[in-house]
């Protein structure tokens, strides 16, 4: 018995056009990007001689649509391309169909038309900032969508009942981990102290997967006259909004506050364990998430990997992570904070090679089901089996 594939579909209100896609997550492999493909189903009676177009867009949104200031919208199309699929043009750019497209074309009949897009290599990945529970409207986000509509021409204002939108995501998997062991250290000399404080912080590896434990090795040699206390170990997410503004959001997404002390003339060697999860940060505004699809679970945003030749401003938002160990050094002349930072990556694991009849997207869905407890989309974007 052949394996069944999940198909995502969405129809316009007047049923004139519908979009069918085998997946909604498209992977940026750094050296190549998964193409976006699917099938548009049209109703010739509803179309009534109009043209049918399919659009792929990447949009950066800094605020709600009603936040326009002096005619300047807090929204920018980073990438936008439109193809006419009906009537079919003579100079079709692609005549080879994917296996899933061929299967859908056979199942949906003569009114089904395939479409195909390729991403340029300078686009960001999907990411959004989590709003507060009281916030309404669109969130700050980099969003991708496929839009199909019928119209006399592609530039005219389209009636809401005659178009359909299907949100998609552009994601990255973790690259092969380097052999480098992330580590950082600091040596502090204090007033009225003959000897210094030395602290070193190290991790086991450079790249961690979502849901994975992070072991933080802390090595303190306190030769100073100060007493060390209030040691905290945190995973901090840093989100730089690089388009429209230079906002920076720094949020501790995992934190351990300890009662450990290191008196003068003593040492401390200890391993602390943290696990950064969205589940512990659900109500916190400004946390960056991997782009969220409607009624689907997601996770903390993955680290941004940007190619050297790409302008960072075009990325909209850049996300990075670091482990930060802080402690309070107190003495006769007051106290001061000492901190050591170690950057690392937090990403999705690259799936195992797909088995026969199994797509990479199905493997990723299984990862989300196990680690992120993803839920099935609602009926207006309902998956069906092909």
């Amino acid at each position: 018995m052949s394996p069944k594939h999940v198909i995502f579909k969405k129809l316009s209100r007047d049923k004139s056009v519908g979009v069918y896609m085998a997946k909604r997550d498209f992977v940026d492999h750094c050296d190549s990007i998964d193409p976006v493909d699917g099938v548009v189903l049209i109703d010739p009676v509803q179309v009534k001689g109009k043209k049918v177009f399919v659009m792929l867009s990447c949009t950066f949104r800094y605020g709600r649509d009603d936040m326009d200031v002096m005619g300047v919208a807090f929204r920018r199309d980073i990438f936008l391309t439109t193809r006419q699929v009906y009537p079919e043009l003579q100079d079709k750019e692609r005549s080879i169909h994917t296996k899933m497209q061929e299967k859908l074309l056979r199942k949906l009949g003569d009114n089904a038309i395939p479409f195909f897009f390729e991403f340029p290599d300078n686009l960001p990945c999907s990411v959004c900032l989590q709003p507060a529970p009281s916030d309404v409207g669109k969130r700050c986000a980099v969003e991708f969508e496929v839009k199909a509509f019928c119209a006399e021409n592609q530039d005219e204002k389209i009636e809401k009942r005659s178009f359909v939108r299907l949100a998609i995501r552009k994601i990255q998997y973790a690259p092969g981990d380097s052999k480098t062991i992330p580590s950082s250290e600091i040596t502090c000399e204090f007033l009225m102290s003959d000897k210094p404080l030395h602290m070193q912080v190290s991790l086991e590896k450079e790249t961690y997967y979502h849901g994975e434990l992070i072991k933080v090795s802390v090595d303190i040699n306190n030769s100073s006259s100060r007493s060390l206390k209030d040691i905290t170990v945190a995973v901090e997410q840093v989100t730089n909004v690089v388009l429209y503004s230079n906002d920076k959001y720094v949020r501790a997404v995992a934190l351990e506050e300890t009662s450990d002390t290191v008196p003068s003339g003593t040492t401390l060697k200890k391993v602390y364990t943290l696990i950064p999860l969205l589940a512990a940060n659900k109500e916190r505004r400004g946390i960056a998430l991997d782009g969220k699809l409607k009624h689907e679970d997601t996770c903390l945003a993955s680290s941004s990997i940007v190619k050297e030749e790409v302008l960072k401003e075009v990325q909209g938002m850049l996300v990075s992570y670091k482990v930060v160990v802080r402690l309070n050094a107190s003495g006769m002349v007051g106290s001061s904070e000492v901190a050591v930072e170690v950057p690392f990556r937090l990403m999705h694991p690259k799936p195992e090679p797909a088995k026969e009849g199994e797509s990479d997207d199905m493997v990723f869905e299984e990862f989300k089901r196990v680690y992120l407890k993803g839920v099935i989309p609602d009926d207006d974007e309902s998956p069906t089996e092909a």
Side-chain angles (χ1 to χ4, degrees):
M1 187 176 180
S2 60
K4 293 184 177 181
H5 295 260
V6 171
I7 300 298
F8 296 94
K9 69 174 183 179
K10 195 172 183 182
L11 304 176
S12 63
R13 294 180 188 176
D14 63 5
K15 309 297 189 226
S16 60
V17 292
V19 173
Y20 292 72
M21 299 182 69
K23 61 181 181 179
R24 299 172 71 181
D25 290 306
F26 299 86
V27 182
D28 183 345
H29 304 277
C30 289
D31 57 347
S32 65
I33 308 173
D34 291 347
V36 177
D37 57 61
V39 169
V40 174
L41 181 65
I42 70 169
D43 182 342
V45 176
Q46 290 290 337
V47 171
K48 296 178 181 177
K50 294 183 179 180
K51 299 173 183 178
V52 176
F53 301 90
V54 181
M55 176 188 296
L56 173 65
S57 65
C58 171
T59 302
F60 174 73
R61 190 186 305 275
Y62 188 55
R64 305 191 308 270
D65 291 335
D66 60 0
M67 288 178 61
D68 295 0
V69 178
M70 298 180 66
V72 178
F74 283 79
R75 180 184 182 277
R76 175 175 171 181
D77 289 323
I78 298 176
F79 175 74
L80 188 67
T81 183
T82 306
R83 301 261 172 84
Q84 179 181 322
V85 295
Y86 177 84
E88 293 184 83
L89 300 177
Q90 293 299 319
D91 57 340
K92 292 187 293 183
E93 296 187 24
R94 181 179 173 86
S95 58
I96 301 175
H97 305 144
T98 64
K99 290 183 179 180
M100 185 55 63
Q101 282 179 320
E102 291 176 350
K103 196 168 186 179
L104 284 170
L105 292 173
R106 289 195 301 268
K107 184 174 182 178
L108 297 175
D110 295 337
N111 294 326
I113 306 166
F115 65 86
F116 181 89
F117 293 100
E118 289 186 338
F119 285 112
D121 61 3
N122 63 341
L123 292 184
C125 287
S126 300
V127 62
C128 64
L129 290 185
Q130 181 169 261
S134 59
D135 289 345
V136 296
K138 293 285 188 178
R139 70 191 75 197
C140 180
V142 173
E143 299 172 318
F144 291 83
E145 73 173 13
V146 171
K147 178 180 177 181
F149 59 93
C150 61
E152 296 291 344
N153 61 75
Q154 68 181 62
D155 298 322
E156 71 177 62
K157 185 176 181 180
I158 313 302
E159 296 182 13
K160 288 185 177 181
R161 60 196 305 271
S162 298
F163 70 74
V164 57
R165 288 190 172 111
L166 190 62
I168 62 174
R169 281 187 291 208
K170 180 173 174 285
I171 62 174
Q172 281 182 320
Y173 294 137
D177 203 8
S178 66
K179 301 300 181 182
T180 304
I181 302 298
S183 178
S184 185
E185 58 186 308
I186 190 172
T187 299
C188 295
E189 295 184 354
F190 302 106
L191 186 66
M192 299 180 67
S193 178
D194 295 334
K195 295 183 179 181
L197 156 70
H198 183 80
M199 177 166 63
Q200 181 177 28
V201 179
S202 60
L203 306 178
E204 294 179 307
K205 55 184 180 177
E206 185 179 13
T207 302
Y208 289 85
Y209 302 145
H210 293 287
E212 188 175 4
L213 295 175
I214 300 175
K215 294 183 178 180
V216 183
S217 298
V218 178
D219 187 347
I220 301 174
N221 182 0
N222 185 18
S223 300
S224 74
S225 59
R226 299 283 186 105
S227 177
L228 309 181
K229 59 181 181 179
D230 300 332
I231 299 175
T232 64
V233 184
V235 171
E236 291 187 353
Q237 180 194 73
V238 182
T239 305
N240 286 282
V241 180
V242 293
L243 194 61
Y244 285 125
S245 72
N246 287 314
D247 290 351
K248 178 184 284 189
Y249 297 84
V250 181
R251 300 287 188 269
V253 292
L255 175 67
E256 181 175 352
E257 298 176 313
T258 78
S259 57
D260 295 337
T261 60
V262 189
S264 174
T266 65
T267 62
L268 172 71
K269 288 187 177 181
K270 189 169 182 178
V271 176
Y272 300 91
T273 301
L274 300 174
I275 177 168
L277 288 173
L278 175 58
N281 297 278
K282 281 283 191 181
E283 304 298 318
R284 299 183 61 202
R285 183 177 187 174
I287 299 291
L289 315 176
D290 268 347
K292 185 174 175 62
L293 300 178
K294 188 174 183 180
H295 296 320
E296 282 196 28
D297 230 342
T298 185
C299 60
L300 296 172
S302 297
S303 299
S304 302
I305 299 179
V306 183
K307 300 174 185 176
E308 291 183 4
E309 65 274 14
V310 174
L311 291 175
K312 291 185 177 180
E313 290 75 12
V314 182
Q315 302 301 296
M317 288 186 282
L318 297 174
V319 179
S320 61
Y321 289 89
K322 58 186 178 181
V323 165
V324 184
V325 178
R326 293 185 175 89
L327 52 83
N328 186 281
S330 60
M332 295 180 62
V333 292
S335 62
S336 58
E337 183 182 82
V338 178
V340 174
E341 300 180 355
V342 182
F344 70 96
R345 289 184 183 136
L346 183 64
M347 302 190 74
H348 295 293
K350 187 175 182 179
E352 295 295 328
K355 300 176 183 177
E356 184 177 354
E358 183 180 48
S359 66
D360 286 346
D361 196 63
M362 294 170 66
V363 177
F364 183 67
E365 289 298 325
E366 177 66 13
F367 166 78
K368 290 195 295 184
R369 185 187 70 79
V370 174
Y371 290 98
L372 310 179
K373 298 180 180 179
V375 298
I376 296 175
D378 63 1
D379 290 339
D380 69 338
E381 298 176 3
S382 56
T384 58
E385 292 179 344

